[in-house]
């Protein structure tokens, strides 16, 4: 088997010391990228973590000052190859994507970024021997998928362009591993809740926006109907998943693209009650968005992540209550509100 991070075949013992030295994060200024780049920079002390961005979404502040940055447009293969050569990149985090709701309004652009961008990255990874992480999502499932305890290996017939590109991403990433030995690995992310960079255009974004509204003392207009359950995860656990899967012992991996990872599942009423425990005056009403609701209705209620737990010891740290405490504390400090 090809072992990543090197130009040769190595034993696992040697491999473990060579992983993730020089990393390119494509989409470094997005919701995941902005936190993943900083986390990797703190963890990797003997290499570079390059913040890849597109014009108009330049890194700022600590993200800009703490390491190298480069324009990295997934649709420009030559530009990507130059960065990989210049920084001797061994691992690429490919986070360029349009999220589910916005991808429905721009399906061709979503295809271009998610599929043409991906094949550029996989080809570079094949030539230059890089490992690649391209996240999949709960959006890779569809209305025919079992809703509860959604298995790792099951029906994936999504009805959205986002979902179509996520299933194709999983398949193409596995193809490059099987056919060429490119070390592709990934997880299927749930809705991600975070407090550094806002998501944009996703179906699960409401679960982030609700905390901002609660802390600012606003009445939250929820776009998703009561009773709609979706998997969600706090960003620190998502970062752990993204890093741990790339550091996992490859000899234990039965699956690769992509693992179900889960930590909590709730509907709008449950998250509202979790917030009201700490902000009793918080108010929410429903102004449902038919596009997002239809997408949410086609996604699982709760995934079974036992394969991730068995194959690379995945275990989340946060539940709804501990996440709520941390979100409220962080946002209260940010907005100068008393907790
Ligand atoms: C979205 O809502 O589109 C994303 C996702 C679950 O992949 N957050």
């Amino acid at each position: 088997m090809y072992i990543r991070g090197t130009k040769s075949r190595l034993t696992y013992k040697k491999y473990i010391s060579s992983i993730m030295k020089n990393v390119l994060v494509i989409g470094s200024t997005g919701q995941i990228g902005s936190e993943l780049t900083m986390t990797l920079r703190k963890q990797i002390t003997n290499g570079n973590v390059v913040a890849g961005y597109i014009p108009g979404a330049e890194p700022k502040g600590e993200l800009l000052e703490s390491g190298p940055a480069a324009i990295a447009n997934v649709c420009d293969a030559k530009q990507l190859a130059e960065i990989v050569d210049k920084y001797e990149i061994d691992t690429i985090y490919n986070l360029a994507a349009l999220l589910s709701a916005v991808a429905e309004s721009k399906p061709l652009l979503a295809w271009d970024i998610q599929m043409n961008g991906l094949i550029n990255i996989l080809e570079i990874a094949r030539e230059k021997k890089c490992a690649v992480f391209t996240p999949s999502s709960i959006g890779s499932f569809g209305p025919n998928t079992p809703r509860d305890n959604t298995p790792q290996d099951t029906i994936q017939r999504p009805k959205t362009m986002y979902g179509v590109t996520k299933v194709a991403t999983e398949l193409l990433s596995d193809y490059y591993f099987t056919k060429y030995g490119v070390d592709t690995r990934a997880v299927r992310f749930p809705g991600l809740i975070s407090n550094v960079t806002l998501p944009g255009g996703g179906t699960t974004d409401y679960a982030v926006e609700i905390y901002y509204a609660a802390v600012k003392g606003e009445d939250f207009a929820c776009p998703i109907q009561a009773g709609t359950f979706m998997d969600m995860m706090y960003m620190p656990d998502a970062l752990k998943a993204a890093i741990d899967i790339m550091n996992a012992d490859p000899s234990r991996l039965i699956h690769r693209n992509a693992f179900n990872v889960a930590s909590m599942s709730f509907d709008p009423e449950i998250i509202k009650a979790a917030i009201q425990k700490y902000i009793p005056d918080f108010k929410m009403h429903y102004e449902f968005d038919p596009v997002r609701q239809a997408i949410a209705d086609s996604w699982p209620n709760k995934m079974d992540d036992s394969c991730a737990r068995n194959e690379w010891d995945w275990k989340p740290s946060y539940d709804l209550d501990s996440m709520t405490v941390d979100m409220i504390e962080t946002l209260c400090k940010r907005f100068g509100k008393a907790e």
Side-chain angles (χ1 to χ4, degrees):
M1 180 196 293
Y2 168 70
I3 302 293
R4 72 192 169 90
T6 72
K7 308 292 176 199
S8 62
R9 284 158 202 265
L10 295 177
T11 60
Y12 178 64
K13 198 162 172 237
K14 274 193 188 163
Y15 154 88
I16 201 88
S17 63
S18 68
I19 51 178
M20 281 216 255
K21 196 157 174 280
N22 294 311
V23 179
L24 170 61
V25 180
I26 297 174
S28 68
T29 58
Q31 187 197 12
I32 306 173
S34 56
E35 296 199 51
L36 181 65
T37 306
M38 292 309 302
T39 303
L40 287 170
R41 281 183 178 161
K42 281 173 195 137
Q43 289 183 8
I44 299 174
T45 48
N46 61 342
N48 277 310
V49 180
V50 181
Y53 64 95
I54 50 167
E58 287 80 5
K60 295 189 180 72
E62 202 189 5
L63 189 57
L64 178 65
E65 284 145 24
S66 58
I71 297 179
N73 180 344
V74 279
C75 296
D76 187 339
K78 189 166 163 281
Q79 188 180 72
L80 297 179
E82 281 167 8
I83 300 169
V84 169
D85 284 341
K86 179 172 173 190
Y87 292 99
E88 298 183 357
I89 296 295
D90 52 66
T91 305
I92 301 173
Y93 279 92
N94 168 25
L95 306 176
L98 295 190
L99 293 184
S100 53
V102 77
E104 281 309 279
S105 64
K106 297 176 187 166
L108 296 186
L109 183 60
W111 180 269
D112 201 27
I113 294 171
Q114 269 119 265
M115 300 320 311
N116 296 332
L118 175 64
I119 201 125
N120 285 339
I121 291 165
L122 290 172
E123 272 299 293
I124 290 164
R126 180 175 71 79
E127 278 172 30
K128 300 181 187 295
K129 314 259 180 283
C130 306
V132 181
F133 174 96
T134 309
S136 186
S137 157
I138 50 173
S140 69
F141 298 114
N144 303 331
T145 304
R147 287 272 155 84
D148 295 307
N149 294 321
T150 305
Q152 172 67 38
D153 302 309
T154 186
I155 302 163
Q156 288 181 281
R157 302 290 291 180
K159 300 287 183 218
T160 61
M161 178 53 95
Y162 183 69
V164 168
T165 64
K166 288 298 174 192
V167 177
T169 293
E170 294 187 8
L171 293 172
L172 200 58
S173 299
D174 271 347
Y175 179 83
Y176 267 71
F177 171 67
T178 314
K179 181 134 176 132
Y180 302 118
V182 177
D183 192 356
T184 56
R185 311 171 183 196
V187 298
R188 293 181 183 133
F189 277 135
L192 299 182
I193 295 156
S194 64
N195 51 48
V196 174
T197 306
L198 283 168
T203 302
T204 57
D205 294 6
Y206 91 89
V208 180
E209 292 156 1
I210 193 171
Y211 285 104
Y212 280 73
V215 168
K216 288 178 179 170
E218 294 166 1
D219 182 350
F220 181 62
C222 186
I224 299 294
Q225 285 173 327
T228 310
F229 281 78
M230 286 184 275
D231 274 296
M232 301 280 180
M233 183 177 287
Y234 198 28
M235 186 58 85
D237 279 330
L239 301 178
K240 186 153 77 88
I243 294 170
D244 285 358
I245 181 62
M246 297 313 279
N247 285 337
D249 175 353
S251 69
R252 287 181 60 198
L253 299 182
I254 299 162
H255 299 85
R256 278 182 168 263
N257 299 282
F259 283 91
N260 287 359
V261 284
S263 62
M264 61 186 95
S265 168
F266 53 75
D267 85 326
E269 288 296 312
I270 294 176
I271 188 172
K272 179 183 81 173
I275 292 171
Q276 282 172 335
K277 193 169 151 195
Y278 301 98
I279 307 179
D281 292 342
F282 172 56
K283 290 195 176 44
M284 178 178 97
H285 65 283
Y286 288 94
E287 276 179 29
F288 102 100
D289 169 352
V291 173
R292 285 184 166 80
Q293 186 63 44
I295 296 173
D297 286 341
S298 74
W299 287 357
N301 296 335
K302 173 114 186 68
M303 291 186 288
D304 171 359
D305 63 358
S306 51
C307 289
R309 288 173 188 262
N310 293 335
E311 292 175 41
W312 47 281
D313 307 321
W314 157 249
K315 195 166 175 282
S317 301
Y318 286 86
D319 60 14
L320 177 57
D321 190 60
S322 52
M323 174 181 76
T324 299
V325 169
D326 201 55
M327 280 295 284
I328 291 175
E329 269 179 21
T330 307
L331 293 177
C332 278
K333 278 188 201 124
R334 172 104 36 91
F335 297 120
K337 304 268 181 183
E339 283 162 44

